[in-house]
Amino acid sequence: MAQEISFTQEQLDEAIQNAKNEWVEKELNPIITERDELLQFKPKDLSDEEKALQTKQQELFDKEIQFELKSAGLEQFAGVVKVTNTDELTTVIESLTGIVNDIKVSLGYIPDNHKQQNEYDTFAQKNDTKGMIATKLSKLFG
């Protein structure tokens, strides 16, 4: 019938060790190699001084944004303007200035019944009947 196979503890330990080594070579080592290659792309951790310097630079840039907006008369847009460099800031300020100027023009007074006054109406306002008659006659004969 079936033959019973027995192994010693040493043989079992050796088989387990061989299986473990094979797994390490086939599975674990490629993963470790890939991880090590990817670690070169990991950003380095900043020191406290570098973090403080970045914070100061950001505060200075924020103040520059505030100043530029105020000098252009656009300080109301300070909460809306989000830029990362001065070139973007100048572009945004130019755009906002154009928009604000267009709004000012469109909201300005535009008379709806404005007509150019002719010579006859000018004389009529002054109650100058001779001028009024002369204008009418010059149109007939002129």
Side-chain angles (χ1 to χ4, degrees):
M1 300 221 187
Q3 209 176 26
E4 206 174 289
I5 301 175
S6 62
F7 294 101
T8 62
Q9 187 63 36
E10 236 176 61
Q11 289 174 332
L12 284 175
D13 289 343
E14 185 179 331
I16 291 173
Q17 187 64 35
N18 287 341
K20 182 179 175 187
N21 288 340
E22 184 179 329
W23 178 82
V24 165
E25 287 178 22
K26 288 184 179 178
E27 301 291 328
L28 186 62
N29 285 343
I31 292 172
I32 290 174
T33 305
E34 185 178 354
R35 182 206 60 195
D36 292 343
E37 289 172 2
L38 291 176
L39 282 177
Q40 69 180 339
F41 300 112
K42 179 183 174 189
K44 67 175 188 169
D45 294 331
L46 299 177
S47 68
D48 291 338
E49 290 141 7
E50 291 172 327
K51 289 178 185 177
L53 179 63
Q54 282 185 344
T55 304
K56 289 290 184 185
Q57 286 176 340
Q58 186 62 41
E59 288 173 2
L60 180 63
F61 186 65
D62 290 343
K63 286 182 181 180
E64 182 180 355
I65 291 172
Q66 294 291 331
F67 176 75
E68 291 295 328
L69 288 173
K70 188 171 184 176
S71 65
L74 302 169
E75 60 269 4
Q76 297 89 353
F77 293 102
V80 178
V81 174
K82 302 291 183 216
V83 292
T84 56
N85 59 36
T86 54
D87 293 336
E88 284 183 41
L89 179 62
T90 55
T91 305
V92 168
I93 287 176
E94 289 171 0
S95 299
L96 287 175
T97 302
I99 292 169
V100 167
N101 288 340
D102 290 345
I103 291 172
K104 285 180 182 177
V105 167
S106 68
L107 293 178
Y109 175 71
I110 302 172
D112 56 348
N113 58 358
H114 182 69
K115 298 179 190 173
Q116 284 191 346
Q117 207 168 21
N118 59 21
E119 200 175 0
Y120 179 83
D121 292 335
T122 307
F123 288 125
Q125 281 181 343
K126 295 179 184 176
N127 292 328
D128 183 5
T129 52
K130 288 183 183 180
M132 291 166 54
I133 294 172
T135 304
K136 288 290 184 182
L137 290 176
S138 70
K139 286 185 182 178
L140 286 176
F141 298 111

